[in-house]
Amino acid sequence: MKQRRRDLLAAAAALIAAPWHDATAKASAAAETIARITEGKPLSPGRIYMELAPLVENGNSVAVKFGVQSPMTDADHVRAIHLVSEGNPLPNIVSCHFTVLSGKAEVMTRVRLAESQRVWAIAELSDGSFWRTHADTVVTLSACTEMI
Protein backbone atom coordinates (compact mmCIF):
# COMPACT_ATOMS: atom_id res chain seq x y z
CA MET A 1 0.00 0.00 0.00
CA LYS A 2 2.86 2.42 0.80
CA GLN A 3 4.38 1.80 -2.64
CA ARG A 4 1.09 2.69 -4.33
CA ARG A 5 0.94 5.96 -2.36
CA ARG A 6 4.54 6.79 -3.28
CA ASP A 7 3.79 6.10 -6.96
CA LEU A 8 0.71 8.29 -6.83
CA LEU A 9 2.63 11.13 -5.16
CA ALA A 10 5.45 10.81 -7.71
CA ALA A 11 2.96 10.95 -10.58
CA ALA A 12 1.26 14.02 -9.09
CA ALA A 13 4.62 15.75 -8.60
CA ALA A 14 5.61 14.99 -12.20
CA LEU A 15 2.31 16.38 -13.46
CA ILE A 16 2.73 19.57 -11.44
CA ALA A 17 6.32 20.00 -12.63
CA ALA A 18 5.43 19.40 -16.30
CA PRO A 19 6.54 22.25 -18.61
CA TRP A 20 3.04 23.47 -19.60
CA HIS A 21 4.36 26.79 -20.89
CA ASP A 22 6.44 24.97 -23.52
CA ALA A 23 3.45 23.03 -24.91
CA THR A 24 2.58 25.83 -27.36
CA ALA A 25 4.45 27.66 -30.06
CA LYS A 26 5.50 31.24 -29.52
CA ALA A 27 4.89 34.14 -31.87
CA SER A 28 8.57 33.90 -32.84
CA ALA A 29 8.08 30.26 -33.91
CA ALA A 30 5.16 31.36 -36.08
CA ALA A 31 7.33 34.14 -37.56
CA GLU A 32 10.08 31.61 -38.31
CA THR A 33 7.54 29.33 -40.01
CA ILE A 34 6.25 32.21 -42.13
CA ALA A 35 9.81 33.17 -43.08
CA ARG A 36 10.48 29.56 -44.09
CA ILE A 37 7.32 29.50 -46.24
CA THR A 38 8.11 32.81 -47.96
CA GLU A 39 11.86 32.14 -48.16
CA GLY A 40 12.37 35.68 -46.84
CA LYS A 41 10.34 37.37 -49.60
CA PRO A 42 8.15 40.31 -48.56
CA LEU A 43 4.55 39.77 -47.46
CA SER A 44 1.87 42.17 -48.61
CA PRO A 45 -1.44 42.66 -46.82
CA GLY A 46 -4.61 41.90 -48.72
CA ARG A 47 -5.85 39.63 -51.54
CA ILE A 48 -6.44 36.74 -49.13
CA TYR A 49 -9.48 36.39 -46.89
CA MET A 50 -10.11 34.26 -43.82
CA GLU A 51 -13.23 33.63 -41.77
CA LEU A 52 -12.52 32.51 -38.20
CA ALA A 53 -14.90 33.06 -35.30
CA PRO A 54 -13.63 35.63 -32.77
CA LEU A 55 -14.87 33.42 -29.90
CA VAL A 56 -14.58 29.63 -30.02
CA GLU A 57 -16.10 27.43 -27.33
CA ASN A 58 -14.05 24.31 -28.08
CA GLY A 59 -10.55 24.39 -29.61
CA ASN A 60 -10.79 20.74 -30.73
CA SER A 61 -12.82 21.57 -33.84
CA VAL A 62 -12.68 25.15 -35.07
CA ALA A 63 -14.28 26.04 -38.41
CA VAL A 64 -12.16 28.19 -40.71
CA LYS A 65 -12.65 29.31 -44.30
CA PHE A 66 -9.94 30.97 -46.37
CA GLY A 67 -9.17 31.73 -49.98
CA VAL A 68 -7.96 34.13 -52.64
CA GLN A 69 -9.99 35.67 -55.45
CA SER A 70 -8.05 34.57 -58.52
CA PRO A 71 -8.86 33.79 -62.17
CA MET A 72 -6.82 30.55 -61.74
CA THR A 73 -5.27 30.80 -65.21
CA ASP A 74 -1.77 29.77 -66.27
CA ALA A 75 -0.62 33.38 -65.98
CA ASP A 76 -2.40 34.18 -62.70
CA HIS A 77 -3.19 31.53 -60.10
CA VAL A 78 -2.72 30.65 -56.45
CA ARG A 79 0.00 28.07 -55.76
CA ALA A 80 -0.58 27.57 -52.04
CA ILE A 81 -2.28 28.87 -48.91
CA HIS A 82 -0.83 28.16 -45.46
CA LEU A 83 -2.40 28.70 -42.03
CA VAL A 84 0.11 29.48 -39.31
CA SER A 85 -0.79 29.49 -35.62
CA GLU A 86 0.92 31.53 -32.91
CA GLY A 87 -0.32 29.26 -30.11
CA ASN A 88 -0.24 25.64 -31.28
CA PRO A 89 2.64 23.24 -30.57
CA LEU A 90 3.31 23.08 -34.33
CA PRO A 91 2.76 26.48 -35.98
CA ASN A 92 1.98 25.33 -39.56
CA ILE A 93 -1.52 23.91 -39.08
CA VAL A 94 -2.71 23.72 -42.71
CA SER A 95 -1.04 23.86 -46.12
CA CYS A 96 -3.19 23.66 -49.25
CA HIS A 97 -1.67 23.53 -52.73
CA PHE A 98 -3.54 24.52 -55.89
CA THR A 99 -3.13 24.31 -59.66
CA VAL A 100 -5.02 25.97 -62.50
CA LEU A 101 -7.18 22.84 -62.56
CA SER A 102 -8.37 23.59 -59.01
CA GLY A 103 -10.72 26.16 -60.50
CA LYS A 104 -11.01 28.05 -57.22
CA ALA A 105 -8.55 28.82 -54.42
CA GLU A 106 -10.86 28.44 -51.45
CA VAL A 107 -10.91 25.98 -48.53
CA MET A 108 -13.31 25.33 -45.70
CA THR A 109 -12.05 23.00 -42.97
CA ARG A 110 -11.76 22.50 -39.23
CA VAL A 111 -8.55 22.87 -37.22
CA ARG A 112 -7.46 22.39 -33.62
CA LEU A 113 -6.38 25.43 -31.64
CA ALA A 114 -4.45 25.03 -28.41
CA GLU A 115 -5.38 28.40 -26.92
CA SER A 116 -6.57 31.92 -27.67
CA GLN A 117 -4.30 33.19 -30.40
CA ARG A 118 -3.68 34.86 -33.74
CA VAL A 119 -3.88 32.71 -36.87
CA TRP A 120 -2.15 33.87 -40.07
CA ALA A 121 -3.15 32.98 -43.62
CA ILE A 122 -0.31 33.20 -46.15
CA ALA A 123 -0.98 32.91 -49.90
CA GLU A 124 1.65 32.23 -52.55
CA LEU A 125 0.71 33.34 -56.06
CA SER A 126 2.10 32.16 -59.40
CA ASP A 127 4.04 35.43 -59.87
CA GLY A 128 6.06 34.60 -56.73
CA SER A 129 4.33 37.17 -54.52
CA PHE A 130 3.11 36.43 -51.01
CA TRP A 131 0.00 37.89 -49.39
CA ARG A 132 -1.17 37.76 -45.79
CA THR A 133 -4.07 38.28 -43.44
CA HIS A 134 -4.78 37.25 -39.88
CA ALA A 135 -7.59 36.65 -37.42
CA ASP A 136 -7.57 36.66 -33.63
CA THR A 137 -9.72 34.19 -31.72
CA VAL A 138 -10.47 33.48 -28.08
CA VAL A 139 -10.63 29.76 -27.25
CA THR A 140 -12.51 28.89 -24.05
CA LEU A 141 -11.68 25.14 -24.03
CA SER A 142 -8.16 24.45 -25.30
CA ALA A 143 -6.98 21.64 -27.56
CA CYS A 144 -3.58 20.34 -28.69
CA THR A 145 -2.16 19.95 -25.19
CA GLU A 146 -0.13 16.90 -24.25
CA MET A 147 0.28 15.53 -20.78
CA ILE A 148 3.82 14.40 -20.11
Side-chain angles (χ1 to χ4, degrees):
M1 196 67 165
K2 286 184 178 181
Q3 182 62 36
R4 186 179 292 168
R5 248 186 234 142
R6 273 191 295 244
D7 291 344
L8 183 60
L9 287 172
L15 186 60
I16 291 168
W20 293 107
H21 58 79
D22 292 337
T24 59
K26 303 293 181 229
S28 60
E32 290 172 13
T33 300
I34 292 170
R36 208 171 22 258
I37 290 168
T38 63
E39 298 175 344
K41 294 179 184 172
L43 276 166
S44 302
R47 296 225 30 200
I48 185 168
Y49 61 88
M50 178 171 47
E51 296 173 15
L52 179 66
L55 177 63
V56 176
E57 186 174 321
N58 187 340
N60 285 305
S61 184
V62 180
V64 62
K65 181 178 178 182
F66 52 92
V68 176
Q69 293 293 332
S70 170
M72 297 302 281
T73 63
D74 285 330
D76 183 9
H77 63 275
V78 177
R79 288 187 184 156
I81 301 175
H82 308 272
L83 289 188
V84 178
S85 158
E86 289 187 359
N88 281 10
L90 300 172
N92 193 2
I93 54 177
V94 175
S95 290
C96 301
H97 299 271
F98 303 92
T99 69
V100 294
L101 298 176
S102 299
K104 193 174 187 181
E106 183 176 78
V107 176
M108 182 186 290
T109 189
R110 292 190 174 271
V111 297
R112 293 181 72 179
L113 296 178
E115 62 187 21
S116 299
Q117 60 185 286
R118 176 169 285 177
V119 177
W120 291 90
I122 310 297
E124 177 185 2
L125 276 55
S126 58
D127 64 1
S129 65
F130 288 90
W131 298 83
R132 65 174 164 80
T133 192
H134 70 273
D136 295 313
T137 188
V138 174
V139 177
T140 58
L141 178 63
S142 299
C144 299
T145 55
E146 292 183 27
M147 295 181 70
I148 298 172

